[in-house]
Amino acid sequence: MGVTKAFIKNPETLFALETMRDRYWHNMAGRIQRAWRNYWRYKNECAARIQRFWKNNKEGIAYAQIRDYGHQMLAGRKERRRFSLLSYRRFMGDYLDVGGKNALGEMIRNACGITKGETVHFSMRIQLLVSKLGRSSKPSPRYLVVTEKAVHFVITTVINGATQMALERKIPLVTIRSIAMSSLRDDWVILNLTGSFEEGDPVFSCYFKTELSACLMQLTRAQISLIIAPQ
């Protein structure tokens, strides 16, 4: 061993040292690359987390505004259930995912004939009061879909063991004069229509009646009235 040099007698020792040096630099390069990839992965995760939080917060503000608008319309005028006043429930609107890629939503969208340009603002299962000849009216399950143009009622039938959906009634928003509800603790809603219709005004039970009323009022720019009376 010298000051700056080392004399190696056997070539095998030199080859072993060269191999150790290459392995050491290879391991160090892999360690640096791994640390760099971890840094970028953590940076991208943080960016996605911030974007997701901001998006959820932005959507939450819009849902909160619709929820407050609906509660203000019914405040002090209609008896409310305890669970209907929960502040954490978001007013999502399209609960059946008619405007999305859900299989059920796609069937309902095809039955309603909704085009790609139309936006579904509200959809859910309801109970429509159907009048029977010589009998009392009885609730019947339906699907309710509200777009910026009309209110759709979809019925489900079973033909030869296969479930089929058909559009039972389509009510343009311009024909709705008012929304009527009782002042009691129930979910029944009546759409009072202008003009004469053979089917009459639809009477149905909607669990999210507050959200439905707020949606219709916003779509019509409050041109329809909300009637809440004891009868």
Side-chain angles (χ1 to χ4, degrees), residues 52-53 55-64 66-67 86-93 95 208 211:
R52 184 168 57 252
F53 174 78
K55 183 179 179 180
N56 294 336
N57 187 36
K58 186 177 180 180
E59 293 178 353
I61 293 175
Y63 293 140
I66 300 175
R67 182 178 63 240
L86 291 178
S87 60
Y88 64 81
R89 190 184 77 80
R90 291 184 175 183
F91 280 11
M92 303 296 292
Y95 294 98
F208 293 157
E211 184 175 357

Side-chain angles (χ1 to χ4, degrees), residues 5-173:
K5 294 180 177 61
F7 175 74
I8 301 174
K9 182 178 180 179
N10 297 324
E12 293 81 2
T13 306
L14 176 63
F15 297 152
L17 290 174
E18 292 288 345
T19 303
M20 291 174 60
R21 185 183 67 172
D22 293 341
R23 185 180 302 142
Y24 174 79
W25 288 117
H26 178 74
N27 293 337
M28 291 300 297
R31 188 179 302 177
I32 294 172
Q33 292 175 355
R34 185 164 56 251
W36 183 252
R37 286 194 297 267
N38 290 336
Y39 165 75
W40 274 104
R41 182 172 62 251
Y42 179 74
K43 184 177 180 180
N44 294 332
E45 289 178 356
C46 291
R49 190 178 305 171
I50 294 173
Q51 293 174 357
R52 184 168 57 252
F53 174 78
W54 174 253
K55 183 179 179 180
N56 294 336
N57 187 36
K58 186 177 180 180
E59 293 178 353
I61 293 175
Y63 293 140
Q65 291 176 350
I66 300 175
R67 182 178 63 240
D68 295 340
Y69 177 70
H71 289 331
Q72 289 174 5
M73 291 191 306
L74 273 65
R77 304 176 61 188
K78 184 176 178 61
E79 295 184 13
R80 313 298 300 282
R81 290 190 177 94
R82 181 169 61 89
F83 292 103
S84 66
L85 297 175
L86 291 178
S87 60
Y88 64 81
R89 190 184 77 80
R90 291 184 175 183
F91 280 11
M92 303 296 292
D94 190 9
Y95 294 98
L96 301 179
D97 198 19
V98 179
K101 299 181 180 179
N102 190 290
L104 176 61
E106 186 176 357
M107 293 176 61
I108 298 175
R109 184 172 64 251
N110 295 333
C112 296
I114 300 175
T115 59
K116 294 183 179 180
E118 292 186 75
T119 303
V120 178
H121 295 272
F122 185 82
S123 65
M124 73 171 303
R125 292 179 173 89
I126 63 170
Q127 293 287 331
L128 180 66
L129 196 63
V130 180
S131 60
K132 299 293 183 178
L133 183 61
R135 293 171 50 190
S136 301
S137 302
K138 61 180 297 185
S140 180
R142 295 289 190 278
Y143 293 108
L144 176 68
V145 181
V146 179
T147 63
E148 65 266 18
K149 296 181 179 179
V151 178
H152 306 77
F153 292 91
V154 179
I155 186 174
T156 303
T157 57
V158 179
I159 301 177
N160 297 328
T163 303
Q164 296 182 1
M165 295 185 180
L167 180 62
E168 183 181 31
R169 189 175 182 182
K170 181 179 180 180
I171 302 175
L173 295 182

